[in-house]
Amino acid sequence: MQPADAVAVTVGRNVRALRQQRRMTIDGLAAAAGVSRGTVIQIETARTNPSIGTLVALAAALRVGVASLVDGDAEPRVVVRRGSEAPRLWSSDAGSSAVFCIGTDPPDVVELWDWTLQPGDGFDGEAHPMGTQEVLSVLSGELGVRVGGTVQRLGKGDTVLFQAHAPHRYYAEGDGPVRFVMVVLQPGDAGLVPPTSIAQAVVEE
């Protein structure tokens, strides 16, 4: 059994880390949990051991179980998705595809995609929420990227980062297919959920 002071340190560290991950202020957490600002400060600085009722209220406000607040020995979370398990969420008649490799849960969403576009094929991406960024790195072939009115042409080994709150398009350049990996970063919106499908591409004539 952990001594009381060790429990206080563990709870304080976990509450603070979860609050920061959810981009909540101390006042915001206090209001959501129905406790005083001073109580949250005392808990986060390990100056008090919260009651069971306070622990339950804080866990609910942080959208976790009580175990997440009191567990001091939990191993870091490791999630493996085998290649055979990664779903192909988009494909075109030309043989292009987008595979959703893995992603995180809200509030801070990170997605990793593996794309292949056949010659003459492309994909039109809708505008994402403000603050969203995309990073694309070309593994083979030649890739065109249009963001708003800006066009970039990328070759093998080239990488681009752009703000994705404007409509954007990826398309294959040259005579062969292009393969690239894409990371989507969508911070702080608790309403975001991992994708289940994406819209069909539009092929430019």
Side-chain angles (χ1 to χ4, degrees), residues 48-180:
T48 185
N49 266 315
S51 66
I52 293 175
T54 299
L55 273 177
V56 170
L58 288 170
L62 293 166
R63 305 191 304 278
V64 297
V66 171
S68 295
L69 301 186
V70 300
D71 190 351
D73 299 318
E75 288 292 318
R77 184 184 182 215
V78 177
V79 178
V80 175
R81 175 176 280 174
R82 303 297 178 187
S84 59
E85 300 171 340
R88 186 173 63 176
L89 296 186
W90 170 81
S91 61
S92 74
D93 293 338
S96 301
S97 65
V99 175
F100 181 62
C101 299
I102 204 163
T104 63
D105 295 325
D108 294 316
V109 174
V110 180
E111 300 168 2
L112 176 63
W113 294 78
D114 184 347
W115 284 77
T116 301
L117 295 175
Q118 297 299 328
D121 212 354
F123 180 84
D124 287 309
E126 298 181 356
H128 294 294
M130 186 66 69
T132 303
Q133 299 184 82
E134 293 189 9
V135 181
L136 281 61
S137 188
V138 179
L139 302 178
S140 61
E142 299 177 27
L143 176 68
V145 179
R146 185 173 67 223
V147 183
T150 301
V151 175
Q152 298 289 339
R153 290 176 172 82
L154 309 174
K156 180 180 178 180
D158 292 343
T159 301
V160 63
L161 180 152
F162 62 88
Q163 296 176 322
H165 57 265
H168 43 281
R169 177 177 176 81
Y170 333 116
Y171 52 95
E173 292 267 20
D175 299 327
V178 58
R179 185 180 177 202
F180 62 97

